[in-house]
Amino acid sequence: MAPFEHVVILTGAGLSAESGLSTFRDKGGIWSKYRIEDVASPEAFARDPAAVLAFYNMRRRTVLGVQPNAGHAALARLEADYPGKVTIVTQNVDPLHERAGTKDLIHMHGEILKARCAHCGDAMRWEDDLTTDLACRACGKAGGLRPDVVWFGEMPYDMDRIHAALETCDLFVSIGTSGTVYPAAGFSAKALSLGAHTVELNLEPSRRRDMFVEAIHGKASEIVPAYVARLLGR
Ligand code: OAD
């Protein structure tokens, strides 16, 4: 029998760092070069859509050229081989979990390789640059396309499903996230208060360190495969 019946995993930018994607709040991270209020809010998009699209065009091009690392691969292995239930929730908008083979994934902050139309609401795969004059492939109307990512002030995706998972999990593992942005930063406290074992796998103690019963600090490409091997009893 599996030591835990339902494992919920939350991942953040630190998991993709060794694939070559910048984190947000580490030294030299994305938010040291850009202001959130200029590029990642509905108000910024209303004020200067071209600047916001340029920020995501740059990040989309980067994402297209990177590969998953051993941390992503280990989590795909866990989903495939673990005898209990595994729910993976990511704050990352990159496609590296899927590329590593994860099948059932909750992208709570959206996906950078998708565009969403403000006119019809459709979300569609989109690998090219977005510009303000493009027409939606679904409804044909121009000027409404934006990256399908969640901006500050917007509601993350699939919150009902995430809360249901947090309520039934008996192991919660947080990987590569600083624990700064809510609601994700509150998941560890919720899982802990409901009796789950909570584990942090991060380069350094996160802001939510007190909410974790166990913490392992190091590079995701090393500590995630080691932890997954432990869970799989190998
Ligand atoms: P942060 O940049 O806030 O935190 C990244 C964490 O990863 C830090 O605690 C680092 O110590 C850790 N880290 C860095 N390199 C690592 C490595 N190689 N192995 C393990 N850990 C490493 O990123 P997030 O917490 O993911 O949201 O940020 C959360 C949200 O803030 C993002 O989803 C994004 C951002 O604003 C939106 O844009 C809505």
Side-chain angles (χ1 to χ4, degrees):
M1 205 182 102
F4 299 100
E5 285 180 13
H6 183 185
V7 183
V8 171
I9 306 222
L10 171 70
T11 68
L15 178 65
S16 297
E18 290 163 79
S19 292
L21 297 178
S22 289
T23 60
F24 294 93
R25 296 173 185 83
D26 290 307
K27 198 163 174 280
I30 292 174
W31 296 148
S32 70
K33 298 181 183 132
Y34 298 86
R35 281 163 21 116
I36 288 175
E37 50 275 39
D38 290 342
V39 294
S41 72
E43 294 77 18
F45 190 56
R47 203 169 48 238
D48 191 349
V52 172
L53 294 182
F55 172 70
Y56 287 96
N57 288 344
M58 179 259 311
R59 290 181 57 203
R60 190 182 304 102
R61 283 186 222 136
T62 309
V63 150
L64 285 168
V66 300
Q67 297 302 323
N69 63 55
H72 299 99
L75 294 176
R77 210 155 50 238
L78 182 71
E79 184 194 39
D81 294 352
Y82 193 67
K85 184 173 161 61
V86 176
T87 304
I88 302 183
V89 181
T90 187
Q91 298 170 88
N92 299 342
V93 297
D94 67 56
L96 296 182
H97 277 293
E98 303 90 302
R99 277 197 203 148
T102 293
K103 301 276 182 283
D104 185 16
L105 177 67
I106 300 177
H107 264 291
M108 67 177 290
H109 289 168
E111 295 174 65
I112 200 165
L113 296 187
K114 283 186 181 168
R116 186 152 47 84
C117 175
H119 300 305
C120 70
D122 235 53
M124 57 211 89
R125 186 158 177 90
W126 203 284
E127 295 191 358
D128 300 325
D129 282 358
L130 280 171
T131 53
T132 53
D133 56 348
L134 288 169
C136 169
R137 287 184 202 136
C139 72
K141 284 194 190 155
L145 288 176
R146 57 167 279 183
D148 190 20
V149 299
V150 174
W151 286 325
F152 285 86
E154 296 182 324
M155 181 60 84
Y157 292 149
D158 290 324
M159 288 309 297
D160 289 351
R161 214 183 134 199
I162 295 170
H163 280 298
L166 291 170
E167 279 154 24
T168 59
C169 74
D170 48 3
L171 173 63
F172 175 81
V173 186
S174 172
I175 303 175
T177 176
S178 62
T180 312
V181 175
Y182 285 82
F187 295 169
S188 51
K190 175 162 179 159
L192 183 67
S193 72
L194 293 174
H197 183 64
T198 55
V199 181
E200 163 164 290
L201 304 180
N202 203 46
L203 197 57
E204 59 195 5
S206 75
R207 289 193 177 199
R208 308 298 293 163
R209 170 65 187 89
D210 291 354
M211 296 299 125
F212 296 98
V213 178
E214 195 182 342
I216 300 166
H217 296 131
K219 289 182 180 177
S221 65
E222 295 167 6
I223 60 179
V224 176
Y227 188 75
V228 164
R230 217 171 99 190
L231 280 180
L232 292 174
R234 291 174 187 161

